[in-house]
Amino acid sequence: MADSIWAPGPVRRQTANIKRFIDLLRTELDPSLKDYWDLYHFSITQPESFWRGTWDFAAIIGKPGEVVLQDGQKMPGAKWFPDAQLNFAENLLRYRDDQAALVFCSETGERRRVSYAELHREVTQTASALSAMGVVQGDRVAAYMPNLPETIIAMLAASSIGAIFSSCSPDFGIAGVVDRFGQIQPKVLFCAA
C-alpha cells in the first residue's frame, strides 16, 4: 500500500458516512471490519452481503428481492438485485423540507433554488395532471425542453407513476427530435415556450 498524500483528521474520520457504513456492517455482518481496507476486502469476498448492506445503509425505498447477485462471475453480465422493485422518483422525493433540492443556473446568469418541499409539490401536481390525461405505468412521456427545473419536474412526475421518460434539448434540431420521439410514440409531450 502506497503512502497517502492526505488523510482526513480524526473528527472527519469519526463523522464520515463511510465510518457509519463500516460500523453498520461490523455490527450486523462482520465484527472484524475496522477500516476502509477491511471494507474493500469484504466487498470483493462477500459481494452479496456488501451490496445488501449498501441497500440498507442507503435506506433505499423499495423491495430488494431475494437475490442480490446473479451470475456474479460474469463481468460484464452480472445482475444486481434482479428482482428489485423501486420507484426512482419516490427515492429522490423522500425529503419534504426547505433544503435545496435543485439549484438552477442559466446561461444568462439566472439563478433559481427549488426546495425539496417545492419540488415535491410541483411533481405531485404534474403527476396528477399526467394521470388525468390517461398516462399510466409503461406509457411514454417526452420533453422537448432545455435543462430547466421544469424538465426535471416532468421527468420525476412521469417516473412517479411508472411512465417512461425521454427528452431532447431544442439544440437537437427538428429532424433529430422527430426521429427520436417518433420511435417511442409518447402519449404526452412537454415543450418549452
Side-chain angles (χ1 to χ4, degrees):
M1 185 174 14
D3 291 334
S4 297
I5 295 173
W6 175 84
V11 171
R12 186 173 282 181
R13 282 195 304 268
Q14 289 303 310
T15 59
N17 281 333
I18 196 164
K19 165 82 165 67
R20 291 181 33 246
F21 183 47
I22 291 168
D23 290 346
L24 172 78
L25 295 178
R26 181 175 48 242
T27 301
E28 295 187 4
L29 298 172
D30 188 341
S32 71
L33 293 175
K34 293 182 220 59
D35 59 21
Y36 171 82
W37 295 109
D38 291 339
L39 178 64
Y40 169 74
H41 182 73
F42 180 77
S43 75
I44 59 175
T45 59
Q46 298 182 54
E48 293 90 346
S49 295
F50 174 83
W51 287 104
R52 178 69 69 163
T54 301
W55 179 289
D56 294 340
F57 181 76
I60 296 172
I61 301 167
K63 299 173 186 171
E66 295 298 317
V67 178
V68 174
L69 175 59
Q70 186 176 54
D71 297 326
Q73 300 309 312
K74 293 182 182 176
M75 294 292 177
K79 295 180 182 173
W80 302 94
F81 299 101
D83 302 318
Q85 293 181 342
L86 60 88
N87 186 292
F88 178 73
E90 182 181 19
N91 279 275
L92 290 177
L93 295 170
R94 73 175 71 199
Y95 305 108
R96 311 277 166 78
D97 55 23
D98 289 329
Q99 289 182 81
L102 302 172
V103 177
F104 170 71
C105 299
S106 76
E107 293 174 359
T108 61
E110 175 194 356
R111 187 174 173 88
R112 192 169 51 164
R113 178 189 178 279
V114 179
S115 72
Y116 278 103
E118 292 166 322
L119 181 62
H120 185 270
R121 183 177 55 256
E122 294 289 329
V123 168
T124 300
Q125 290 173 350
T126 306
S128 292
L130 288 171
S131 293
M133 287 185 258
V135 176
V136 296
Q137 182 175 347
D139 282 343
R140 275 94 44 222
V141 173
Y144 182 49
M145 298 173 70
N147 290 330
L148 298 167
E150 290 77 12
T151 308
I152 295 169
I153 290 165
M155 181 274 298
L156 289 171
S159 297
S160 74
I161 57 179
I164 299 160
F165 184 81
S166 180
S167 67
C168 285
S169 168
D171 298 343
F172 265 50
I174 294 171
V177 173
V178 169
D179 186 46
R180 175 180 279 189
F181 290 160
Q183 293 174 30
I184 65 168
Q185 299 179 346
K187 193 171 211 176
V188 172
L189 176 63
F190 287 92
C191 294

